[in-house]
Amino acid sequence: MVQLLFFMAAIGAIGGALAVVLLRNPFFSVLALVVHLMALSVLFLLLHAEFLAAAQLIVYAGAVMVLYVFVVSYVGGADELLAEAGVARKLAPVFGVVLLFAFSLAIGGSALKALDTRGADLPAGFGSPAQIGELLLTRFLLPFEIASFLLTIAAVGAVLLARRRRGLEEVDDVSGDGGVV
Amino acid sequence: MTAAAATIAAPVAEVGFNEPVLAQILIAVIVFAVMLQLVPMLLIAERKLLGRFQGRYGPNRVGPFGALQPLVDIVKLAAKEDFAPRTASKAVFVIAPVIALFTAIATTAIIPFGDTRSDGLFGADYGLYGIDVSIGILYAFAFGAIAFYGLMLGGWASGSKYSFLGAMRSAAQLISYELAAGLSLIGVVMMSGSLSLTAIVREQSDMWFVVPQFAGFLIFTIASFAETNRAPFDLVEADAELVAGYQTEYGGMRFASFMMAEYMNMITFSGIATAMFLGGWHGPGPGWLDPFWVLAKMIGFLILFIWVRATLPRLRYDQLMSFGWKVLVPLATLNLVVTAILVVAL
C-alpha cells in the first residue's frame, strides 16, 4: 500500500513537473504544477509529516496556485507568442545543466546512501502540529519571525503598489452609494 | 491478525488508533451511506421549507407530501445526455465535477459521530467516525483547497463567459472567506488544545464552545454560507446576472454532481460546526443516542442554511468582498487575540 502510494505520488510529482515545462498552454502548465504540488503532499504524508502535507495543500494548492490560476486564466492566452530570445533565454540551458549536475551530486552523495536502510528513527509525535509549533517557537524562532516580518512587508508593499494605480478610489466611491448599474 | 492484514491495516499517517480492517470498511460504508442519504433529504427539505417560507406548498405531487421528488429529479438528470459545448476543453470539463464531488465527500470522513467505543463489537476499540487524524480540521481545509479547482476548472473549461465570470467570482470568494473561517476556528483549537475533532468534542462535555466562542461561531457560520456558495453569498451562481455561474454549461449527471457537491459541502460544514461549537455527540440520554445527537444538530444547522436563503437578499459583489476582508477577517483576528490572551491568563 505504502509502496503503491509512493510510486503513484512519485510519478505524479515528476510527471507534473515535466508537464509544467513542456506544455504550451500556460493554463495547463499551472494545472500541472498543482498536480505536482499535490503529489508532493502525498510524499510528505508517506514521510509521516501530516502537518506539512496539509500545509502544502492549503498554502500552495489552495492559496498560491489559486492566484496563478486567477491571473493566467485572465491574461494568459494560449496563442500568445513566447518572448523573443534574449540573454536570459540563452543562459537558461547553462543554468539547467549546472543545476542537474548539482542535484546529481547531492543525490549520489547523500540520498542514495539511505537505500536498503530503515531510514531515520521517528520519535513519538513526529511531524505533529504540536511538535512543529514548539520547534518554530523555540529552536527556529528567529527564522520564523524574520519570515513573518518579510511577509508583512510584502503584504504592505502589495497594498501600496495597488493603491498607487488610479481606479481603486473610484471603486470605493461606487460601493458607498450603491449606484452600480 | 496475520502479517498480511497487519500491513494493509498499518496507517499511512498518524491516527488516533487503528481499528481492524473489517471495522474500518464497515464504518466507512455506514458514514458514507448516511452522509449520502442526507443529500436528497436536504433537497426535499429545502424545497418544502422554501415553499412554506414563501407561503406556498412546495413540491407535493410525487409520493407522499412530495417526498419522492429528489429521486425523480435525480433519475431525470441521470437519463439526460452528457452534453459538452463545442468551445469546451473536454477533458477538464469532464474532470471538474469529479474533483468537486470527490473533495466534498472526502471531507465528511472527519466528522465525529461518537466517541471511541470498547464494547468489543469488532474485538477491538473503534470510533464512530471515518478517521481521526492528528491534523484534524486542517484535513478539511486541505480538501477545501482542492475543491476550489472543481469550480474553477468547471467554469474555465466551459468556454463560456458566464461560466468564466462565475468561476472567477468563486475564486475570489473562496479565498476571502476561507481565511475568515479558518481564523474563527483557531479560537476553538486554542481553547481545546487540539486539532483533532474528536478531542475537541471531548473537551466540550461541560460546556459547548458556542458559549465562550460565540463570536467565532457567528463568523464561522457567515463564512460557511459564503464557502458553500449559499444565499446571501451565492454570487457565484447569481441567476439574474450569470445564468448559473460556473455550472451554466453543465447538464445531466455532471450538473447533478456539482449540485451534490454543494449540498455535501453544506452537510460537511454543519458537521464541522456541530463538532467544533455545538458539542458534537454530547447530549442527554444513553450512549447509543450519540450519533443521533450529531445528526440532529447537523440538521438544525442545515435548516439555518435554508432559513437564511429564504430570508436574506443577495449581496452585491463589492459588498461581499469588503464584508469579507474589512469586517469578518478583522473580527476573526480580534477574536483570536482575545482568546489567546484569555487562554494564557486563565
Side-chain angles (χ1 to χ4, degrees):
Chain A
M1 181 69 182
V2 173
Q3 280 87 347
L4 187 72
L5 270 176
F6 171 78
F7 279 107
M8 279 166 64
I11 292 168
I14 295 171
L18 280 177
V20 174
V21 189
L22 296 177
L23 286 175
R24 304 297 284 178
N25 187 334
F27 190 79
F28 288 122
S29 284
V30 170
L31 289 188
L33 190 51
V34 175
V35 171
H36 170 73
L37 291 170
M38 285 178 190
L40 276 192
S41 83
V42 174
L43 289 179
F44 282 140
L45 206 58
L46 291 174
L47 290 170
H48 287 265
E50 298 94 27
F51 180 77
L52 216 53
Q56 168 95 2
L57 276 184
I58 295 169
V59 174
Y60 283 101
V64 177
M65 294 318 293
V66 166
L67 286 181
Y68 275 54
V69 170
F70 208 78
V71 170
V72 168
S73 53
Y74 258 134
V75 297
D79 45 354
E80 264 178 53
L81 289 171
L82 287 169
E84 287 294 310
V87 185
R89 193 82 186 278
K90 287 190 182 109
L91 279 177
V94 181
F95 280 113
V97 170
V98 170
L99 264 182
L100 181 70
F101 186 65
F103 279 129
S104 307
L105 270 186
I107 291 169
S110 65
L112 289 182
K113 273 184 197 157
L115 281 180
D116 280 340
T117 64
R118 297 286 303 156
D121 283 331
L122 295 181
F126 176 82
S128 68
Q131 207 182 25
I132 288 179
E134 201 186 318
L135 279 178
L136 276 183
L137 292 179
T138 52
R139 198 169 145 201
F140 299 107
L141 181 63
L142 193 62
F144 179 66
E145 289 298 333
I146 290 173
S148 65
F149 198 60
L150 191 69
L151 286 176
T152 314
I153 294 172
V156 172
V159 170
L160 270 180
L161 284 176
R163 268 276 161 203
R164 201 166 292 160
R165 283 212 314 269
R166 287 180 53 78
L168 263 186
E169 283 80 6
E170 289 160 33
V171 172
D172 279 354
D173 287 345
V174 166
S175 73
D177 56 22
V180 177
V181 180
Chain B
M1 191 187 288
T2 62
T7 46
I8 295 171
V12 169
E14 184 83 26
V15 287
F17 61 93
N18 198 25
E19 294 116 335
V21 186
L22 174 72
Q24 281 181 2
I25 294 171
L26 199 64
I27 289 170
V29 168
I30 291 173
V31 169
F32 185 65
V34 170
M35 287 303 208
L36 225 53
Q37 288 317 306
L38 278 177
V39 173
M41 280 162 65
L42 186 57
L43 277 170
I44 187 68
E46 169 157 42
R47 293 182 64 182
K48 287 298 263 190
L49 279 173
L50 273 184
R52 292 293 169 178
F53 282 130
Q54 295 163 354
R56 56 189 173 83
Y57 287 111
N60 62 355
R61 286 288 175 265
V62 193
F65 307 105
L68 294 180
Q69 186 69 42
L71 188 71
V72 180
D73 284 344
I74 290 167
V75 168
K76 184 195 81 172
L77 286 170
K80 277 190 164 182
E81 179 193 355
D82 274 337
F83 175 79
R86 201 165 3 109
T87 46
S89 178
K90 289 285 183 326
V92 182
F93 187 78
V94 172
I95 209 167
V98 179
I99 297 174
L101 195 53
F102 168 75
T103 52
I105 292 174
T107 319
T108 59
I110 55 162
I111 295 170
F113 285 93
D115 210 342
T116 52
R117 306 291 170 103
S118 50
D119 49 16
L121 195 60
F122 296 106
D125 288 3
Y126 63 98
L128 297 177
Y129 39 75
I131 42 170
D132 178 20
V133 280
S134 65
I135 51 171
I137 192 67
L138 290 177
Y139 172 93
F141 279 99
F143 274 105
I146 306 174
F148 154 81
Y149 290 99
L151 312 192
M152 181 70 211
L153 294 184
W156 182 83
S158 295
S160 140
K161 61 185 171 194
Y162 297 113
S163 304
F164 182 67
L165 285 174
M168 280 306 172
R169 284 184 172 187
S170 80
Q173 181 175 330
L174 282 184
I175 308 173
S176 311
Y177 282 82
E178 198 162 86
L179 192 62
L183 284 176
S184 67
L185 290 181
I186 295 179
V188 171
V189 171
M190 283 198 294
M191 286 192 72
S192 66
S194 172
L195 281 166
S196 156
L197 283 180
T198 41
I200 287 170
V201 175
R202 265 180 226 128
E203 282 286 315
Q204 300 179 68
S205 54
D206 296 330
M207 182 167 51
W208 295 359
F209 280 144
V210 66
V211 181
Q213 283 289 319
F214 190 67
F217 178 66
L218 281 186
I219 295 165
F220 178 77
T221 310
I222 296 171
S224 64
F225 289 154
E227 284 276 294
T228 50
N229 301 328
R230 294 283 300 183
F233 303 107
D234 57 345
L235 291 124
V236 170
E237 46 204 75
D239 326 40
E241 345 159 8
L242 286 173
V243 193
Y246 62 92
Q247 41 179 267
T248 304
E249 304 294 339
Y250 280 90
M253 274 320 273
R254 290 186 192 138
F255 167 75
S257 304
F258 271 130
M259 283 308 274
M260 206 170 129
E262 191 182 316
Y263 280 86
M264 281 307 268
N265 278 331
M266 280 167 67
I267 292 167
T268 312
F269 267 96
S270 52
I272 291 172
T274 302
M276 300 287 280
F277 293 105
L278 301 177
W281 61 74
H282 292 300
W288 57 267
L289 270 177
D290 288 355
F292 297 98
W293 275 115
V294 176
L295 274 180
K297 288 168 186 174
M298 280 170 68
I299 289 168
F301 202 78
L302 287 170
I303 288 174
L304 182 70
F305 268 101
I306 298 167
W307 196 349
V308 166
R309 176 179 169 184
T311 313
L312 294 178
R314 182 181 299 139
L315 268 75
R316 217 172 54 219
Y317 189 65
D318 55 313
Q319 291 172 334
L320 169 97
M321 277 299 153
S322 59
F323 181 69
W325 286 105
K326 293 179 186 167
V327 179
L328 276 192
V329 172
L331 268 184
T333 315
L334 186 69
N335 180 46
L336 192 65
V337 172
V338 171
T339 310
I341 292 170
L342 288 181
V343 165
V344 173
L346 297 179

